[in-house]
Amino acid sequence: MKIFLIGMPGSGKTTFGRELASRLMVEFVDLDAEIEKAEQKSISEIFRENGEEYFRLLEARLLREWAARALPFVMATGGGAPCFHRGMETINEYGISIFLDFAVPVLMERVRRNQERPLLLTSDEKELAEKLERMRTQRLDCYRKAKIVLENPTLESLLKNIHAKK
């Protein structure tokens, strides 16, 4: 079984993913970490040096490569991975997609603590809220194509929904 966690930056894809993989006894994959490993650069450096389109193409290629592997895993995708270059189609073709849906104020609280998000770099609270709201609005139709949509999920609700999909 391949499980792809999707959602906005700050939705807990990595945190939930690690725990979920541990509970299911499968490999955990962080797509952003795989991109950094492939390029030997941080996501911020890739954006700065090569631009977003280069990053999105690389992200899509690595997503397809991982999806096509035979072994099961839990993957924390990047927030935009499902929404560019047929990412959601790839995800739904190869596994179970789970949209971790949180409101913007919750996301703001979480992303404020992490300065490694190139699309959200700002020290202005109002600007950050507007960016998150705009990004969420743009991506929501894509995210809602997930096989499972969970509002304010917990680890238990994730596990329950995964077992129901088996």
Side-chain angles (χ1 to χ4, degrees):
M1 171 179 10
K2 297 172 192 165
I3 297 170
F4 298 86
L5 301 179
I6 67 169
M8 289 287 292
S11 62
K13 298 179 297 288
T14 300
T15 303
F16 280 122
R18 284 187 207 288
E19 186 61 31
L20 196 55
S22 174
R23 293 267 186 106
L24 297 172
M25 294 183 287
V26 298
E27 182 176 4
F28 170 70
V29 181
D30 182 314
L31 186 57
D32 283 347
E34 292 300 311
I35 292 167
E36 289 178 338
K37 189 165 50 174
E39 289 291 295
Q40 305 261 309
K41 296 178 187 175
S42 71
I43 300 295
S44 294
E45 288 174 308
I46 297 167
F47 264 77
R48 189 173 54 253
E49 294 173 13
N50 305 100
E52 184 175 1
E53 184 56 23
Y54 175 87
F55 172 81
R56 295 296 176 199
L57 288 167
L58 179 61
E59 177 182 60
R61 179 176 60 82
L62 288 172
L63 175 63
R64 283 190 304 273
E65 287 174 9
W66 269 98
R69 291 183 181 194
L71 296 174
F73 59 79
V74 172
M75 176 183 281
T77 68
C83 305
F84 295 90
H85 303 289
R86 301 180 42 82
M88 197 62 184
E89 288 85 351
T90 298
I91 289 167
N92 280 334
E93 178 182 343
Y94 286 94
I96 298 171
S97 53
I98 303 173
F99 171 29
L100 307 175
D101 190 12
F102 287 94
V104 168
V106 175
L107 299 172
M108 262 191 75
E109 190 59 40
R110 292 175 176 182
V111 300
R112 189 182 300 133
R113 292 178 253 153
N114 184 340
Q115 294 300 308
E116 291 297 312
R117 301 174 193 271
L119 294 179
L120 297 173
L121 287 179
T122 180
S123 58
D124 182 90
E125 293 286 310
K126 186 174 185 244
E127 186 181 350
L128 178 59
E130 289 170 356
K131 281 182 172 184
L132 281 168
E133 196 64 60
R134 189 170 43 253
M135 188 183 288
R136 189 175 188 281
T137 299
Q138 291 168 345
R139 294 177 177 181
L140 207 50
D141 284 344
C142 172
Y143 290 160
R144 286 190 174 143
K145 292 177 184 170
K147 293 178 181 177
I148 299 172
V149 175
L150 297 175
E151 290 183 21
N152 304 309
T154 62
L155 184 60
E156 286 67 36
S157 67
L158 270 169
L159 287 164
K160 182 177 144 196
N161 278 277
I162 289 166
H163 291 303
K165 278 286 183 192
K166 282 185 178 178

